[in-house]
Amino acid sequence: MFRKSRTTVFIRYALSYLAVVLLLFFSITGYLYASMSGRAREEYIRNQINRLSRIAGQHENYISAMLNSAEEIGLSPHIEPFRYDEEPWKAYDLQLQLVPYTATNSTFCDQVYLHFFGDNRVYSSSSSMSLELFARMMRYEFIPMERLTALIDSVERLTILPSQQVSSTLVDSSRVVTFLVPLGSNPGSRKGALLFLIKDSVYQSLFSDAIGGHVNTYIHQDGLLLSSAEEMPVDREQVLPSQEADSRIFHWEGEDWTQVSLPVRNWGLSYSAVMRNADITSAVFRQIYSNLAILPVFMVLSLLPALWMARRHAKPIREISGLLAGDEPEQRDELQQISTGIHQLTTRNLELSSRLEQALPVQRHDFVFRFVKGHFESRQEAVAAGNAVGLEIDKPRYAVILCSRAGGNEHPADLRQPPFVRMNGCSGAGVELVALKANLYLVFSDHEETLFAMAEQLRQIRIADDDRCVTAVSRAHEDFREAPEAYLEAAAAYENRFVMGNQKVLQYSDISSNLAEILPQARKITTSISQALTLGNRDVLDKRIDELLRFLKNTNMSPFAFRMIYSDVINSLMHTHTGALSGRESVMDFYNIFSLSSCQTIDDLDDLLRRLCDYLLSGSGGEEAPVSAGEEDEISQVIHYMKEHFSDPEISMTALADSFDLSTTRFSLSFKEKAGMSPLDYLTLLRVEKAKELLASTNLTIQEISVQVGYYDSGSFIRRFKQVTGETPLQYRRGRGNDAGKEQGHENR
C-alpha cells in the first residue's frame, strides 16, 4: 500500500507537469501560427510584387531602347526622307544605315522596319518593299490589311499591337507583338515611323525569369491585354487591368483567387499576376511548418525534465508526510497528512510564539545599539532590521534622546527598562547606558517638531518622579548613516547640563560652537591624511596627524567639539578606504561611538585616530611584512617605479603600460583596483607631497619647485596643486609661515 501511495504522488506531479508542457506547446504553436501565417502571406504577395517589378523594369527598358532608336534615326542627318520612285538609289544607303539599329535591338526585337510619310515603301536592313505588299505579307490575326496600312502611314505616338497570330515569311514566329514608334521627338518634325516586331517568346522568357509556381502573368496597355503567360484556366475578364490596392481576392469557378498588381506605369502599362488561394495557403503552410518543426522536438525533450521534476518534488512530499503523519495509520494521502501536520504544528507553536514576543525588548535593545554605532550600511538594511523587531523606522526624520536615570527601584518601570516609544506617529526604542547613568532613546517621526515633543514627554514622565531629571536631544537627522553623529550631539547637549541647567529639554542646537568654521578647515587636513594613506607613506602620515593635532589644540574647543571633529575625520577615512576595511570584523573596534564619547582629552582622540591609520596601513591590523622584488606583481612594480621616478616630466601612463606589457585600459583598471585611484591621480599625489615638503622647507620659487616635481609649466603645477589641496602653492607656503620662499614674481594664474 505504501508503494501505491508513492506512485500516486508521483503520478499527480507528472500529470500536472505534462499538462503544463502541453499547454505551453499548444499555446506557443497557436500564437506562432497566428502571427506567422499573416506575415508569410504578406511575404508571398511581396515576392510576387517584386517579381512583377523586375518584369516591368526589363520590359520598359526594351521600350526605352526602341524609343531611343526612333529618336536617333529621326535626328540623324544621314537619314532623310525621300521618295523611292524619284530617288531609288537612296534605298541601298538607307538599308546600310539601318544595320546598327537592327543589331542594337536584336536581343529582343526580331525585325525593324522604317517607313517615311509621303513614300509608299517600307525599308529594313536587308530589303525594301511597298507598304501594300508589306501589309499583305504580314497577315495579322485581328488587324485587316487596310487598317495596318493606315496605322503605319499615320502613327503620331507610341502604338502597341497586342500579341496575335501572324502568318508571314517575314517573321520567324507564330505570335508577334508590334510596336509602332514615330521618328523624332518633336511632333512637328516627324518624318515617318519605325515598326519593331517582337516575338511572343521574348515575353514568355520575360515571365519565366523569376519565381516559379502556378502563376498567370499579364501585361495590359491602356486596358488591353498586351501579352500573357497562363498556366491556369482563368477567365481573362476576371483580371482587372488596373487596381488601387496591391492585391485583391475574387471568386471564380468555385475557387478563391488572388490578383497581385502594380499601379499603372509609363505608356499606360500595367502588370498583374493571378494565383490560387489554395496554392498560397500551401506555400504559407510549408514555410510555417519549416519554422515550427523544431517545437515538437523541444516538447518531447521537455517531457524528460518534467518527469524528473515530478519525481524530485514527490520525494520531499513523501518525507514530509511521513514526519507529519497523524495518529491514523490508514490515512495515506500525503497532501492531507501534510495539512493535518501543519495544523498540529501551528497549534503547538502558539506557546513558542508567545515566548518570542517576550524576547522582543532584548532584540530592540540590540537594534538600538547597532543603529547608533552605524552598523547598517543602507536605509533598506536598517528598515528591515527594525521591522524584524517590531519598529516602524521608515520615516523621514529621527533623533537621539538622553534622559538621566537615578539609582534605586523607586522609578516607574518604563524608565527603569527603556520603553517601546510611540506617540502621535513617533516610534522608537531605548537602551540603558550604565556609564552615563542615563537612558538612550532612538525615536523616528514624520515631523521634526514631533521628535522634540517626544523628548519633552519623556522629561515630564521622569520629572514627576525626580525633579533633577536631565533630558537632552540631538538635531533631527534624515540620513541613517549619521546616527553616530546624532548620538554625539545628544551627548554634547547632555554634558552641557551643568551650564544650561535642567529646566527644559537641552537641545544640541542651543549650544554655541565654532564647529561651522572649524570643520571645513579640519576636513582639508583630513584630505591630506587620506592621501598619505593612499601613498602608504608612514612618515608623511605622522606629519599630517601632528598637523591636525596642532590645529585642534589651537582652536580652544570643548571636548564634545573635538569628538564631533574626530567623528567626522574617522568617518571620512573609513568611507574613503572602504576597500582596505572590507571583510575585517575588528574594524568597528576603532569606531565605537560610545568609546569615542568616553574620550576626555585630545590625546585620547589622537591615539584612536593613529590606531585606525596604522590599521589601514598594515592591511591586517599588524605591521606589513616586507615583500621582496621577486614577489611583487606587475602593479606593485609600477607603483615602486612611480615613487622613484615621479619627478620625470616625460613619464606617461602609456609608456608605463607598454613597459610592463599591459594594455592601457587593463593597466588603468588593475592599478585602480590595487591603489584605489587612477595612475594619473597617484602620480599627482606623489608630486604634490614632494612639493609640500619643498614649499615648507626651502626658499625655492614656485617655478623651480614645479620643475623639480615633474612639471615643465608652473601653471599646470599650480592647477594640480590646488586641485589636490584646495590651496595654491603660495597660499600653502604662507599658511605654514615660510616667508623666505616668497616669489620674485606673481604666480601664473
Side-chain angles (χ1 to χ4, degrees):
M1 291 184 179
F2 180 67
R3 181 66 180 178
K4 180 180 179 181
S5 174
R6 294 178 58 185
T7 305
T8 302
V9 175
F10 171 75
I11 291 176
R12 286 183 180 179
Y13 273 104
L15 292 177
S16 300
Y17 289 131
L18 291 177
V20 171
V21 170
L22 291 175
L23 179 61
L24 288 175
F25 171 75
F26 287 114
S27 299
I28 294 174
T29 302
Y31 170 76
L32 292 178
Y33 180 82
S35 60
M36 293 176 63
S37 59
R39 290 199 298 269
R41 179 180 175 85
E42 291 175 0
E43 182 179 358
Y44 190 88
I45 299 299
R46 188 164 54 252
N47 290 338
Q48 290 296 332
I49 292 176
N50 293 337
R51 171 178 176 263
L52 292 176
S53 297
R54 289 193 295 271
I55 294 173
Q58 189 171 355
H59 184 233
E60 291 171 8
N61 286 338
Y62 293 162
I63 298 176
S64 296
M66 291 186 287
L67 293 176
N68 290 336
S69 297
E71 185 175 357
E72 291 176 7
I73 292 174
L75 298 176
S76 174
H78 304 291
I79 301 177
E80 293 294 334
F82 67 93
R83 294 179 62 84
Y84 182 82
D85 55 355
E86 296 176 358
E87 300 174 292
W89 60 87
K90 290 186 178 182
Y92 178 75
D93 292 336
L94 179 60
Q95 292 176 16
L96 295 179
Q97 294 293 333
L98 292 177
V99 170
Y101 297 102
T102 302
T104 301
N105 298 281
S106 62
T107 56
F108 59 89
C109 180
D110 187 64
Q111 291 290 338
V112 179
Y113 291 92
L114 171 63
H115 170 70
F116 289 122
F117 297 152
D119 184 27
N120 191 26
R121 302 287 292 184
V122 174
Y123 304 93
S124 70
S125 61
S126 59
S127 64
S128 67
M129 65 189 74
S130 66
L131 182 60
E132 292 78 7
L133 178 60
F134 175 79
R136 191 181 310 114
M137 292 181 67
M138 288 300 295
R139 295 194 300 276
Y140 280 88
E141 181 180 3
F142 300 115
I143 301 177
M145 182 181 66
E146 295 79 8
R147 173 63 177 161
L148 178 62
T149 301
L151 283 174
I152 296 174
D153 203 31
S154 62
V155 62
E156 295 182 354
R157 61 183 182 87
L158 174 66
T159 303
I160 306 175
L161 304 181
S163 175
Q164 52 191 294
Q165 190 76 27
V166 175
S167 301
S168 174
T169 58
L170 298 177
V171 181
D172 185 18
S173 176
S174 59
R175 298 188 68 83
V176 173
V177 178
T178 304
F179 284 79
L180 299 176
V181 184
L183 294 179
S185 58
N186 188 351
S189 62
R190 288 174 180 160
K191 306 173 182 179
L194 279 178
L195 283 77
F196 295 88
L197 306 181
I198 302 177
K199 300 177 184 179
D200 191 65
S201 59
V202 173
Y203 280 90
Q204 300 307 315
S205 175
L206 191 66
F207 296 148
S208 62
D209 68 339
I211 301 173
H214 299 290
V215 181
N216 287 3
T217 308
Y218 305 89
I219 300 180
H220 290 84
Q221 198 260 339
D222 291 335
L224 298 177
L225 181 62
L226 186 64
S227 183
S228 65
E230 301 176 70
E231 299 183 14
M232 297 173 295
V234 180
D235 185 2
R236 292 179 177 179
E237 294 183 359
Q238 300 295 326
V239 181
L240 300 180
S242 62
Q243 57 180 17
E244 296 181 359
D246 293 338
S247 64
R248 72 181 184 93
I249 298 176
F250 62 90
H251 189 78
W252 182 72
E253 292 292 330
E255 288 187 279
D256 288 330
W257 303 77
T258 295
Q259 176 184 344
V260 179
S261 301
L262 294 180
V264 177
R265 299 165 65 94
N266 297 329
W267 309 295
L269 295 170
S270 61
Y271 302 82
S272 303
V274 174
M275 61 219 78
R276 286 190 181 92
N277 269 9
D279 294 337
I280 298 178
T281 303
S282 178
V284 168
F285 180 78
R286 286 195 301 271
Q287 181 178 351
I288 295 175
Y289 177 77
S290 63
N291 293 328
L292 299 182
I294 194 65
L295 284 181
V297 177
F298 281 116
M299 186 194 72
V300 173
L301 293 178
S302 63
L303 293 179
L304 298 178
L307 295 176
W308 176 79
M309 291 177 62
R311 182 176 179 181
R312 184 172 181 269
H313 290 168
K315 183 177 179 181
I317 291 294
R318 294 194 299 269
E319 294 176 353
I320 295 174
S321 66
L323 294 174
L324 300 179
D327 297 333
E328 301 177 1
E330 65 277 3
Q331 184 179 11
R332 297 185 180 86
D333 190 333
E334 285 86 350
L335 297 179
Q336 183 62 38
Q337 288 178 350
I338 292 175
S339 176
T340 302
I342 290 176
H343 177 72
Q344 293 174 353
L345 287 176
T346 303
T347 303
R348 294 171 184 173
N349 286 342
L350 289 177
E351 182 180 353
L352 179 60
S353 299
S354 177
R355 293 177 181 177
L356 290 176
E357 288 292 333
Q358 295 175 3
L360 275 180
V362 177
Q363 298 176 21
R364 291 174 182 150
H365 182 279
D366 177 67
F367 168 78
V368 172
F369 269 118
R370 293 172 63 204
F371 187 92
V372 173
K373 290 180 180 180
H375 282 203
F376 298 108
E377 297 183 358
S378 65
R379 170 178 281 268
Q380 292 79 4
E381 183 181 352
V383 169
N387 292 337
V389 297
L391 293 177
E392 299 176 4
I393 69 170
D394 194 11
K395 297 180 181 296
R397 295 173 178 80
Y398 71 95
V400 173
I401 301 173
L402 288 176
C403 187
S404 63
R405 174 187 57 79
N409 295 328
E410 71 277 16
H411 306 293
D414 58 350
L415 290 177
R416 290 197 307 271
Q417 297 295 331
F420 173 76
V421 180
R422 185 180 298 277
M423 181 199 78
N424 296 331
C426 181
S427 64
V431 297
E432 182 180 4
L433 300 179
V434 178
L436 290 180
K437 294 184 179 180
N439 290 336
L440 182 151
Y441 298 93
L442 184 63
V443 291
F444 301 82
S445 178
D446 295 325
H447 307 286
E448 182 176 341
E449 56 271 15
T450 309
L451 298 173
F452 300 125
M454 186 72 249
E456 179 62 31
Q457 178 175 326
L458 290 172
R459 177 177 177 274
Q460 293 298 330
I461 294 175
R462 182 65 186 87
I463 207 169
D465 194 58
D466 184 357
D467 58 4
R468 293 174 298 174
C469 169
V470 177
T471 304
V473 62
S474 69
R475 292 183 297 116
H477 289 261
E478 297 180 0
D479 191 345
F480 283 6
R481 292 174 297 182
E482 297 176 357
E485 181 180 344
Y487 167 74
L488 287 178
E489 292 172 355
Y494 188 77
E495 288 183 358
N496 217 41
R497 62 189 182 277
F498 303 110
V499 178
M500 301 176 63
N502 62 344
Q503 301 304 314
K504 63 175 184 176
V505 173
L506 306 179
Q507 297 187 23
Y508 174 75
S509 57
D510 295 335
I511 302 175
S512 60
S513 171
N514 57 351
L515 279 178
E517 296 79 15
I518 300 267
L519 196 55
Q521 302 178 43
R523 283 175 178 165
K524 290 184 179 179
I525 304 177
T526 302
T527 303
S528 65
I529 293 175
S530 178
Q531 294 169 355
L533 282 172
T534 301
L535 294 174
N537 193 323
R538 197 177 298 272
D539 293 335
V540 175
L541 178 63
D542 289 337
K543 291 179 182 179
R544 298 294 173 260
I545 296 178
D546 291 340
E547 185 179 351
L548 176 64
L549 186 63
R550 289 194 301 271
F551 170 75
L552 294 179
K553 284 184 176 181
N554 292 333
T555 56
N556 193 26
M557 290 184 296
S558 60
F560 82 85
F562 285 120
R563 293 171 194 157
M564 292 294 294
I565 291 176
Y566 264 77
S567 174
D568 184 79
V569 171
I570 294 174
N571 249 325
S572 176
L573 291 178
M574 293 180 66
H575 281 89
T576 304
H577 301 276
T578 305
L581 299 172
S582 59
R584 300 166 70 181
E585 298 179 355
S586 58
V587 62
M588 295 310 298
D589 293 342
F590 297 100
Y591 192 43
N592 187 323
I593 195 65
F594 299 108
S595 299
L596 184 63
S597 66
S598 65
C599 294
Q600 298 299 318
T601 66
I602 297 179
D603 291 334
D604 294 337
L605 298 168
D606 183 63
D607 178 67
L608 185 64
L609 177 59
R610 289 183 187 275
R611 286 196 296 120
L612 175 60
C613 291
D614 289 340
Y615 188 77
L616 291 171
L617 274 180
S618 67
S620 60
E623 288 297 326
E624 184 176 6
V627 180
S628 64
E631 296 174 345
E632 290 181 342
D633 59 12
E634 293 174 330
I635 300 303
S636 298
Q637 295 178 44
V638 172
I639 293 175
H640 179 73
Y641 180 85
M642 293 174 72
K643 288 181 179 179
E644 295 293 329
H645 301 87
F646 68 87
S647 60
D648 181 5
E650 300 297 332
I651 191 171
S652 69
M653 300 306 104
T654 303
L656 285 173
D658 292 342
S659 64
F660 290 95
D661 196 22
L662 295 171
S663 68
T664 305
T665 303
R666 183 58 192 166
F667 167 66
S668 180
L669 292 175
S670 300
F671 192 99
K672 189 169 184 179
E673 182 179 352
K674 183 173 183 64
M677 62 179 63
S678 69
L680 182 59
D681 290 341
Y682 186 80
L683 178 62
T684 302
L685 277 182
L686 290 171
R687 290 174 170 175
V688 169
E689 286 300 323
K690 182 62 178 178
K692 286 181 180 179
E693 179 183 337
L694 296 175
L695 287 168
S697 60
T698 69
N699 298 333
L700 297 175
T701 65
I702 301 300
Q703 177 65 40
E704 293 171 337
I705 292 175
S706 67
V707 172
Q708 287 201 21
V709 298
Y711 291 99
Y712 286 132
D713 179 19
S714 61
S716 299
F717 165 65
I718 293 171
R719 287 193 298 272
R720 291 288 188 183
F721 191 93
K722 187 173 183 180
Q723 181 182 358
V724 174
T725 65
E727 300 175 307
T728 66
L730 187 58
Q731 291 171 340
Y732 182 86
R733 171 174 275 171
R734 288 174 176 172
R736 273 103 190 125
N738 186 2
D739 296 329
K742 292 181 179 179
E743 287 296 299
Q744 297 175 359
H746 296 287
E747 291 180 298
N748 296 323
R749 297 293 179 181

